[in-house]
Structures are given as structure tokens and as C-alpha cells.
Amino acid sequence: MIDRRTFIKAGTIGASVLSIGGLATAGGAGARTSGAINKPIVISTWDFGVAANRAAWAVLKNGGAALDAVEAGVRVPEADLSNLTVGKGGYPDRDGHVTLDACIMDDQGNCGSVAALEHIAHPISVARLVMEKTPHVMLVGDGALQFALQNGFEKEQLLTPKSEAAWKAWLKEGKYEPVVNIENKSFTTDKLPGNQYNHDTIGMLALDSDGNLSGACTTSGMAFKMRGRVGDSPIIGAGLYVDNEVGGATATGVGEEVIRTVGSFLVVELMRQGLSPRDACREAVERIIKKKPETAKEIQVGFLALNKQGEYGAFSLQKGFSYAVCDAQQQDLLVDGEHVF
Ligand code: ASP
């Protein structure tokens, strides 16, 4: 559970944070007014990002590397059995298998990824080993599991009684159809994938005290997805992208639309062109709307970005997307993100 957290609307963040940290609203949350780089800092998606950030902060505050921080951070929701969309305890696919997707990227442009990984509770750590120990970027399915077991990871049952019950209830409704809306009921923004009843991916970005950036992204993916479905989260450039010259970005929500727009790469490239993190995220969201205006009204996608100066921002299609921020001024900040619809 979250305690001591601060809940701030993005539209009003400037005034309260400004007085503490020299930050302003111009260009979105976390824009700087002075020339100083705001480091170290870690940001991550959703309210469970608050607890994850704390673990990352324990690394960053002691001068640790952003890469170590993001791995330590996202392992927290991966291990949290009450979290139904990340790691162990995540909702299964429509055949009852919990399949996990994750990726990680460092300041050197190195990256590692696993997709459709079963039986391993910490896919992010397997992704890091793919990056560090193999000549490849991505391992999937049985090959990813084999690699994990060879490297000392333990095989576990990831389906908890709670997630199994939710899956069985969903099956009983007789809807063995791929779902985009987890509830598969009439449209309400609250029940969209990625919104408050269906929190999904944790994406985390960190800038360490040496000024280096890294990112991590991990999820059990869309609930009751088709067997073999892989979303954006383990796809470098879609669910996560980091360029140490510019900044990093991560995504949550309906992964298909994020992949179609190569969303996180797009956000980083927009920042390279001079956009603030908030404006870059907004532009990427607008791209989804432009490509699929009708679909965009009925799904959730959110982007979160951090630049090389430690400025951050986010934007989503629908209301309900929040993100957590942790730096020297604030350890438990939860920001209610801006949205289009
Ligand atoms: N992006 C994830 C996926 O499509 C899920 C989410 O973040 O809502 O698998």
C-alpha cells in the first residue's frame, strides 16, 4: 500500500513543486527554470510506481547506477502478489498461462528483452542477463525460460488463486475472444486497459548522479490475451527507449497501438527535436489519434518521459493515468497525468 504519498494534479504541479525544487509548469510537469540538472531522479508509471521508485531511489541516492536502480525498482511490483498486471500474480492469458514480457536499456544503448516468458517471477532480471550475457537482444517463450533456468532462476507457479479465480470468472462469461477491454463490457474509461481497475505495465526511467539514463519495462501484458500475444512492453522502441544523449520514454496501455507508432522511440526523437517530455508525450498520443481516431477514443495509452536534464512529463489518451516521481525533493510524489479525452 502507498503511504506518505503526495497526490498532485499535473496542471497544478508547478506551483507546489516550484517552491521546493526549482521546477515549473512551462512545458509540463518537471520543466526546469534554472540551468541545474535535476539528478538523480526516477519516475515510473502508475501508483505502484511509488513503491518501485523507493527501491530505485535506495540505489540512486547512494550514487548507484541508473541501470541498477531501474532493475531494483521494477522488481518490487514484479514480486507484489496483489499486483494483477506485473510479474507473479499477473492475470494469465485466455488459456490460463501467465506469460511475462520485459525489457531493459542502459546508457550505452545496450538492451535486453524477454517475451512470453513463463514460470519466472522476475523477467526484468532475465532481460538484463540477455543484454549482458548473450549476443542477442531478445529471447522468447521456451528459449527465454531455458536461458533463465541455465542462469539460476527458479521455476515457479506464477498463477495465484486470485488471478486464477478472475480468469475462471472471465471464462464463465463465455467470452473466449481476444479482449481489448478487460471487462469486455460497455465502454467506461475507468475500465480500460491501463486504467484504474486494470493497471498494467510498470515502465521506469532513471537519471543517476553521473547523469546517465536507463529504463526498464515489465508486465504480464493484457489480461486474457490470446496465447502467444506479445505487447509493446518488451519491444525496444515501443514500450521503452533510452538514448543517453537525449532522454528516455516508456509506455503503458494497449500495446498494439504503441507498437504501431513505435511510441517510445517517437517520444525520444521528439525530445531530440526540442520538445519537452510532456509535449513529446502529447505529440505521440496525438499520433495515435491521427492514425486511428475512432479506436483512440476507446482505449488507453499513456507515455512517460524523462530527459537528460531531469525534466519529466507524461500524457495519455484517457483520464486515469498516473505516474510516480522520486528525486531529492520528493520521494513519494504521485502525479495525476494530463490526457486528451
Ligand atoms: N502495454 C501492455 C501490453 O500491451 C499493457 C499495459 O500497459 O496496459 O501488454
Side-chain angles (χ1 to χ4, degrees):
M1 293 303 294
I2 296 161
D3 55 337
R4 299 188 300 115
R5 76 182 186 190
T6 312
F7 218 136
I8 293 184
K9 293 271 179 203
T12 57
I13 187 172
S16 50
V17 178
L18 178 63
S19 58
I20 307 165
L23 307 175
T25 45
R32 287 175 313 144
T33 50
S34 70
I37 294 174
N38 182 31
K39 62 176 185 173
I41 178 169
V42 58
I43 63 174
S44 58
T45 52
W46 300 113
D47 54 359
F48 49 69
V50 173
N53 282 358
R54 277 187 217 149
W57 184 250
V59 176
L60 293 173
K61 74 173 183 201
N62 294 320
L67 181 65
D68 295 328
V70 295
E71 183 189 7
V74 303
R75 283 176 61 97
V76 172
E78 280 186 343
D80 179 358
L81 298 188
S82 69
N83 187 319
L84 304 176
T85 54
V86 179
K88 188 170 181 173
Y91 282 149
D93 66 16
R94 67 180 184 175
D95 294 334
H97 307 277
V98 179
T99 67
L100 305 179
D101 297 336
C103 73
I104 194 161
M105 193 160 184
D106 74 7
D107 56 289
Q108 303 293 309
N110 299 310
C111 43
S113 162
V114 290
L117 175 62
E118 295 179 46
H119 309 301
I120 302 293
H122 286 295
I124 197 64
S125 297
V126 185
R128 181 168 177 175
L129 279 190
V130 171
M131 174 174 85
E132 292 177 341
K133 286 197 165 183
T134 81
H136 306 305
V137 165
M138 190 166 193
L139 293 177
V140 307
D142 287 347
L145 175 60
Q146 184 185 343
F147 173 74
L149 296 175
Q150 281 166 352
N151 282 281
F153 288 83
E154 273 175 31
K155 202 166 179 176
E156 291 184 48
Q157 168 62 274
L158 302 184
L159 187 65
T160 56
K162 191 173 177 188
S163 288
E164 187 173 13
W167 167 61
K168 285 189 171 154
W170 174 78
L171 278 182
K172 260 195 211 142
E173 289 179 3
K175 302 236 171 56
Y176 188 73
E177 296 293 327
V179 285
V180 170
N181 180 337
I182 181 181
E183 297 291 325
N184 217 15
K185 290 176 183 155
S186 56
F187 176 80
T188 77
T189 54
D190 283 350
K191 290 177 176 171
L192 288 169
N195 261 344
Q196 63 214 56
Y197 297 116
N198 183 22
H199 282 188
D200 281 332
T201 309
I202 182 153
M204 177 177 279
L205 303 160
L207 178 69
D208 63 29
S209 42
D210 290 335
N212 289 319
L213 288 157
S214 290
C217 187
T218 176
T219 188
S220 53
M222 200 165 286
F224 319 135
K225 60 198 174 186
M226 288 178 70
R227 181 132 180 84
R229 181 266 187 189
V230 171
D232 61 311
S233 307
I235 310 286
I236 297 296
L240 176 75
Y241 196 71
V242 175
D243 184 324
N244 204 40
E245 284 181 8
V246 177
T250 189
T252 184
V254 176
E256 283 72 7
E257 300 313 316
V258 178
I259 294 172
R260 283 187 182 107
T261 50
V262 199
S264 292
F265 182 72
L266 176 62
V267 171
V268 171
E269 290 308 300
L270 289 165
M271 290 195 292
R272 192 192 306 277
Q273 290 168 24
L275 268 62
S276 69
R278 178 261 191 199
D279 289 352
C281 291
R282 172 158 201 156
E283 188 62 32
V285 163
E286 297 283 0
R287 187 75 61 91
I288 292 172
I289 299 170
K290 194 175 168 198
K291 296 257 183 222
K292 289 188 178 272
E294 291 313 310
T295 307
K297 285 183 205 154
E298 303 206 347
I299 62 164
Q300 175 65 305
V301 170
F303 291 107
L304 177 65
L306 175 68
N307 71 14
K308 192 73 179 159
Q309 286 71 43
E311 300 164 331
Y312 57 87
F315 226 93
S316 62
L317 284 169
Q318 316 287 340
K319 71 177 162 77
F321 174 46
S322 59
Y323 61 97
V325 178
C326 179
D327 61 13
Q329 285 79 41
Q330 291 262 16
Q331 272 83 67
D332 292 332
L333 179 63
L334 184 65
V335 182
D336 193 359
E338 293 177 81
H339 50 91
V340 175
F341 297 117

